[in-house]
Amino acid sequence: MMAPIRSKPPVANNDFAVNEDPERLDNVYNRVLGKEGYKMLTDEVKWLAVTHKSFDHGRRGFNERLAFLGKRIVQLQTSLTLFHSSSATPFPETQDQYGREPFRHPALDGLAGVSAESKEQILRTGRTAQLAEKYGLNTVVRWKPRTMANLKGSGQLIVTSRALYAIVGAVALQKGGEVANNVVRERILWPLGLQ
């Protein structure tokens, strides 16, 4: 899949070394998933979850679909946690000009705290990427940056946060939704300050 002649000259000093050590990858999975977390996934899925489509032109598979599933699971758990949080505030009292009284129920009190803005505030790419870096995912993610001199400008934050979501998606497929939900709550939402 490579052209015999390059259309652009190669960029000097742009060789990016990716992790090929399975023990190092297992150590990161232990940090992300907890004690013996490396046993949750098969070797093939572990490598797939940390591989971006820019690595080797996507020939070895990449984590885009796993990240899509994992992000939906994280967003759902964030919504549920916001709904059930102890700081949930009921809807503000409003006066209707016709004297009608809106339906109120105590079970719906937390609904006011669930919004796209509140979820975005918690799951900003910068925050999830910072958490992924804390776990060491940035040292094992396989990708090809545009320029070595500017990794953040090449998309490192997006790549590392997508790898975190892909791990959640992989756990959901291999171990089921209940295990994935526990991983999201304990290893992502609690460190981000949402309990």
Side-chain angles (χ1 to χ4, degrees), residues 34-172:
K35 187 176 179 180
E36 296 191 357
Y38 73 96
K39 292 181 179 178
M40 282 191 185
L41 304 172
T42 63
D43 288 338
E44 182 181 351
V45 174
K46 283 191 284 190
W47 285 110
L48 183 67
V50 296
T51 303
H52 186 259
K53 62 184 171 184
S54 63
F55 177 71
D56 196 24
H57 303 287
R59 285 185 285 223
R60 299 186 204 184
F62 48 92
N63 63 6
E64 195 165 300
R65 291 179 180 173
L66 290 174
F68 179 82
L69 174 63
K71 187 171 185 175
R72 298 305 167 259
I73 294 169
V74 171
Q75 287 175 338
L76 173 65
Q77 288 305 312
T78 303
S79 296
L80 290 173
T81 305
L82 285 171
F83 182 76
H84 294 295
S85 70
S86 60
S87 63
T89 57
F91 283 105
E93 295 292 328
T94 58
Q95 295 293 326
D96 185 38
Q97 63 180 350
Y98 300 108
R100 296 176 294 193
E101 207 169 303
F103 175 76
R104 302 237 186 255
H105 193 277
L108 299 176
D109 283 347
L111 199 57
V114 180
S115 67
E117 293 81 19
S118 60
K119 284 195 298 188
E120 176 62 31
Q121 180 70 21
I122 293 166
L123 299 176
R124 280 192 331 263
T125 302
R127 291 188 77 202
T128 55
Q130 187 178 20
L131 180 64
E133 287 179 14
K134 178 184 154 197
Y135 288 139
L137 264 176
N138 59 327
T139 63
V140 295
V141 171
R142 301 193 309 176
W143 69 301
K144 174 82 169 123
R146 186 176 304 141
T147 59
M148 280 290 297
N150 186 6
L151 291 178
K152 289 196 179 190
S154 294
Q156 184 180 29
L157 297 179
I158 295 169
V159 169
T160 53
S161 66
R162 187 173 287 166
L164 186 63
Y165 291 137
I167 290 172
V168 171
V171 168

